[in-house]
Amino acid sequence: MNVPEIFASNVFHDGVMKNSLPKEVYRSLRETVDEGKPLDTSIAGAVANAMKDWAVSKGATHYTHWFQPLTNLTAEKHDSFIEPDGDRVIMQLTGKRLIVGEPDASSFPSGGSRATSAARGYTAWDPTSPAFVKEGTLYIPTIFVSYTGETLDKKAPLLKSMTALDLQAKRLLKLFGIGCRKVATTVGPEQEYFLIDESVYEKRKDLMLTGRTLFGAPSVRGQELEDHYFGALKTRISEYMRDLDATLWSYGVFAKTKHNEVAPAQHELAPVFTTANVAVDANQLTMELMKKVAKRHGLVCLLHEKPFEGINGSGKHNNWSLSTDSGLNLLDPGENPESNTRFMLILACVIAAVDKYQGVLRASVASAGNDHRLGADEAPPAIISVYLGDQLGAIVDSIVMGREYVPKKAVPGSIGVPESPIFPIDTTDRNRTSPFAFTGNKFEFRMLGSQASVADPNIVLNTMAAQAFSDAYEALEGAKDFEGTCREYTAKLLKEHYRIIFNYNGYGPDWEAEAERRGLLNNKTTADAIPELLKRENIDLFVKQGVYTEKEVYARANIALENYTKTIRIEAKTMVEMVKRDIWPSVNAYLSALCSAIAAKRAVSEKLASDADMGMAEKVCSRNDALMKATEKLEKALREVPAGELLASQAMAHTIVPAMNEVRRIADELETLTASAYWPFPTYPDLLYSVK
Ligand code: ADP
Ligand code: MG
């Protein structure tokens, strides 16, 4: 495999543009991409033509405006390049067609921001993310807006948040005498996923309809031996990963790290970080291709946050940093962070923003699937806190307490193996339990769910950082003693927001009580997390930074709640169907076999039918009866769910989910009582160890 040759071979990348575009056109386009200058529409024709020629040379016959409606997935509608020319055709892509498209928008979620009768929506080219050819179609990344200009997607607000951050960060940096053309957010999302064999997947209605198992007694062997994490890859998995890497590379995705994760059948892929917008698009493509490539290998890729109860779920660690066009990472502490005024100010701004807008940050990762991780027995918890590590933690402590900071030197590691090289040990350990951890020169936000778009948390991170930078600028601009004022302001921020810093075990039982004492939010369900968005100060944040209008915030909150309610309703209905049509009849069949056996034994001799036989039959019979009763109770509760996004979501979280848990509890017990031959679908061991 010649990787440099494969890499980006399907992408209309910088090198191709440079070679195929007139010099002036290329220069103008680069200014838009690199510096955020408005696109000069007069160059669109030339770019479109070059793009089309290149795409056709790659075998493309169609093009599509590729966009990200509010569904976590991408959307596409393909048009061919053909244009009648007499009774023949020519291949054409005009500048206008490159720049705008008009898909019928009426069936995409809009959260009430667009009446169904007003179906018009527009897609508009995003030149900052490269176009590519996939399966015979040229994909043009676009934003998606309504006829009245409201954003209907995740890309437009992401780009707006990046612009806000760029503006505010540059202004702040100027006070430090640093001039730059652009400050960009960089993102590296680590993606977790499960792989199971196609043959077992197809026998599970719940996996097919909801992406997760709604039933399943725990496997006798789960993850307790801790032998899967970083374990040797099975050949079939390794072949899948190799194929996936090559595929992703061809689309210019920087796939870098791959390994087995903690749970059996769980794996991870991490890319090299890149600009937030490109990283989000790349992650959408990664999720899509993970599933497609799996099919080629007779596998199914599960991206749900909690495909299996009782073992780890999947998340997506969002590594986030800020960097200038000259390559200065604003979250790089350098050798002596304690005397790095700029770094300490930026750090304090981020800490303050996370504390102030913790509700918004929590809401940005809220979904029915992710509720099984956050706020359940699994980490990270639903409480937002910041982990700084030993070194920065000690510096911040010293500032807040007004003590002198005594630096701890990084010691050369002596591991007692003479053949092994000496290496410096980091001054900071990692803390896997923290939802928002400083990891060297970036923050790692660990609450994001595995199937969610990476856009949402980054929109929030960028927007709140922009606001904090803007506040800092207002406080520091024109200060006579800039250094002194800056230190004072940093100390003030750290003191005010000290409660958000937590350097210990976030999984510990004491943390919840401690967090409550500190007044931190702990919204365990989506139904409770989303309404935070509608608090006055949170709406103001988005409006002030030009990321969302008030109407758009309401629309997004509505969509998130609607989505949550719909997801749980589908799950509950699938459960009802599986009980009534699969589990209950199968258990009855087993019961009838059991009773026939007892009758047969009795026919031979009364003594042969033991207490054990009778006990088992009674147990199975009574549990199956209880299962049907619990299912009917769930059905009744479903019928009684009130209308309206807010009320419905509350009913889902606090009535339907507990009723589903009860159905599951009984069914899982029945599974352990029923003979394998009678159980209607593959069990946890069948699913988790399906790949040999
Ligand atoms: P791990 O956390 O698994 O030990 P790393 O810390 O090396 O691994 O990187 C994890 C992820 O963080 C990778 O996707 C990497 O590209 C990303 N990352 C590293 N530096 C930055 C940065 N400055 N901005 C954003 N993401 C980054
Ligand atoms: Mg990590």
Side-chain angles (χ1 to χ4, degrees), residues 134-319:
K134 182 163 71 68
E135 293 151 11
T137 295
L138 169 68
Y139 282 72
I140 302 164
T142 57
I143 61 167
F144 183 37
V145 294
S146 77
Y147 181 62
T148 45
E150 265 103 28
T151 58
L152 296 172
D153 72 341
K154 306 207 173 192
K155 188 190 264 281
L158 178 69
L159 291 172
K160 287 180 185 179
S161 74
M162 291 170 74
T163 304
L165 184 100
D166 171 47
L167 220 76
Q168 299 303 337
K170 274 194 304 213
R171 230 164 49 123
L172 191 60
L173 286 179
K174 237 186 219 149
L175 295 181
F176 288 91
I178 299 174
C180 59
R181 290 191 304 166
K182 192 165 184 171
V183 175
T185 32
T186 49
V187 168
E190 303 166 57
Q191 175 77 49
E192 291 178 331
Y193 61 100
F194 279 84
L195 287 175
I196 60 171
D197 192 88
E198 212 168 48
S199 63
V200 281
Y201 172 82
E202 281 159 3
K203 295 189 182 112
R204 293 283 313 213
K205 242 179 248 172
D206 46 2
L207 279 179
M208 290 201 289
L209 295 177
T210 73
R212 74 180 184 101
T213 52
L214 301 168
F215 299 101
S219 167
V220 172
R221 177 174 172 163
Q223 64 191 43
E224 53 281 274
L225 291 177
E226 295 172 340
D227 53 354
H228 194 254
Y229 192 50
F230 288 1
L233 300 177
K234 286 175 183 152
T235 308
R236 221 174 133 196
I237 299 296
S238 147
E239 279 167 1
Y240 164 80
M241 288 177 167
R242 231 176 125 69
D243 193 0
L244 178 63
D245 278 338
T247 311
L248 288 173
W249 289 334
S250 79
Y251 295 113
V253 177
F254 297 109
K256 175 86 174 167
T257 311
K258 53 187 182 185
H259 60 83
N260 284 347
E261 257 299 330
V262 175
Q266 192 185 26
H267 315 281
E268 179 181 303
L269 181 146
V272 179
F273 68 94
T274 174
T275 323
N277 179 34
V278 175
V280 168
D281 288 0
N283 183 254
Q284 291 298 140
L285 201 54
T286 301
M287 290 195 284
E288 178 191 321
L289 291 168
M290 277 181 155
K291 291 185 173 176
K292 281 193 171 159
V293 172
K295 279 230 166 76
R296 294 208 282 263
H297 294 258
L299 298 166
V300 175
C301 172
L302 305 175
L303 287 176
H304 195 282
E305 284 79 13
K306 195 74 180 174
F308 306 102
E309 281 302 316
I311 54 171
N312 278 22
S314 298
K316 186 140 58 183
H317 291 177
N318 186 80
N319 293 274

Side-chain angles (χ1 to χ4, degrees), residues 87 228 267 337 363 407 509 512 576 597 640 642:
D87 57 358
H228 194 254
H267 315 281
E512 229 177 298
V576 170
E640 288 167 2

Side-chain angles (χ1 to χ4, degrees), residues 246-569:
T247 311
L248 288 173
W249 289 334
S250 79
Y251 295 113
V253 177
F254 297 109
K256 175 86 174 167
T257 311
K258 53 187 182 185
H259 60 83
N260 284 347
E261 257 299 330
V262 175
Q266 192 185 26
H267 315 281
E268 179 181 303
L269 181 146
V272 179
F273 68 94
T274 174
T275 323
N277 179 34
V278 175
V280 168
D281 288 0
N283 183 254
Q284 291 298 140
L285 201 54
T286 301
M287 290 195 284
E288 178 191 321
L289 291 168
M290 277 181 155
K291 291 185 173 176
K292 281 193 171 159
V293 172
K295 279 230 166 76
R296 294 208 282 263
H297 294 258
L299 298 166
V300 175
C301 172
L302 305 175
L303 287 176
H304 195 282
E305 284 79 13
K306 195 74 180 174
F308 306 102
E309 281 302 316
I311 54 171
N312 278 22
S314 298
K316 186 140 58 183
H317 291 177
N318 186 80
N319 293 274
W320 176 86
S321 194
L322 312 164
S323 151
T324 68
D325 56 298
S326 55
L328 172 68
N329 179 346
L330 299 182
L331 287 177
D332 185 354
E335 290 285 302
N336 302 302
E338 68 277 16
S339 51
N340 187 339
T341 328
R342 172 177 44 80
F343 169 75
M344 288 309 295
L345 173 69
I346 285 176
L347 180 75
C349 283
V350 174
I351 291 171
V354 172
D355 183 33
K356 244 175 149 167
Y357 301 111
Q358 50 180 289
V360 185
L361 197 55
R362 164 67 182 96
S364 76
V365 294
S367 70
N370 215 16
D371 280 1
H372 295 278
R373 297 173 64 234
L374 316 176
D377 50 352
E378 195 178 327
I383 309 160
I384 304 250
S385 66
V386 178
Y387 171 81
L388 294 174
D390 298 342
Q391 187 190 28
L392 285 184
I395 295 173
V396 167
D397 283 352
S398 74
I399 294 174
V400 171
M401 316 290 174
R403 287 191 310 241
E404 196 198 342
Y405 169 70
V406 188
K408 194 174 119 193
K409 281 267 165 303
V411 282
S414 165
I415 50 175
V417 180
E419 296 85 348
S420 164
I422 300 285
F423 56 92
I425 301 260
D426 292 318
T427 50
T428 294
D429 192 8
R430 289 177 178 275
N431 182 336
R432 290 280 168 206
T433 69
S434 175
F436 199 80
F438 186 78
T439 46
N441 58 5
K442 62 186 188 306
F443 273 104
E444 186 168 336
F445 183 41
R446 302 204 177 103
M447 283 176 126
L448 185 56
S450 48
Q451 62 183 339
S453 158
V454 199
D456 297 300
N458 288 299
I459 293 170
V460 171
L461 287 170
N462 295 344
T463 308
M464 65 191 209
Q467 183 60 47
F469 292 165
S470 160
D471 293 343
Y473 178 84
E474 303 291 335
L476 302 176
E477 186 212 7
K480 289 210 176 64
D481 167 21
F482 180 71
E483 277 281 319
T485 318
C486 191
R487 276 175 202 277
E488 268 170 37
Y489 183 74
T490 302
K492 177 174 161 286
L493 284 184
L494 292 175
K495 278 180 197 154
E496 277 173 18
H497 301 284
Y498 193 58
R499 63 172 187 169
I500 199 76
I501 298 170
F502 183 65
N503 283 323
Y504 309 98
N505 184 6
Y507 302 179
D510 310 336
W511 173 225
E512 229 177 298
E514 166 67 14
E516 199 181 335
R517 268 195 295 282
R518 294 187 186 191
L520 300 178
L521 292 173
N522 186 3
N523 289 321
K524 292 195 175 199
T525 71
T526 300
D528 299 314
I530 294 294
E532 281 290 320
L533 290 173
L534 306 177
K535 285 197 175 148
R536 190 69 254 165
E537 64 268 29
N538 296 337
I539 294 178
D540 287 347
L541 165 74
F542 290 115
V543 174
K544 240 190 200 155
Q545 292 306 321
V547 174
Y548 292 132
T549 61
E550 181 158 350
K551 199 171 160 194
E552 285 170 344
V553 176
Y554 272 94
R556 272 154 213 260
N558 278 347
I559 291 171
L561 290 178
E562 236 174 57
N563 228 328
Y564 171 76
T565 298
K566 284 180 187 165
T567 305
I568 293 181
R569 182 171 282 128

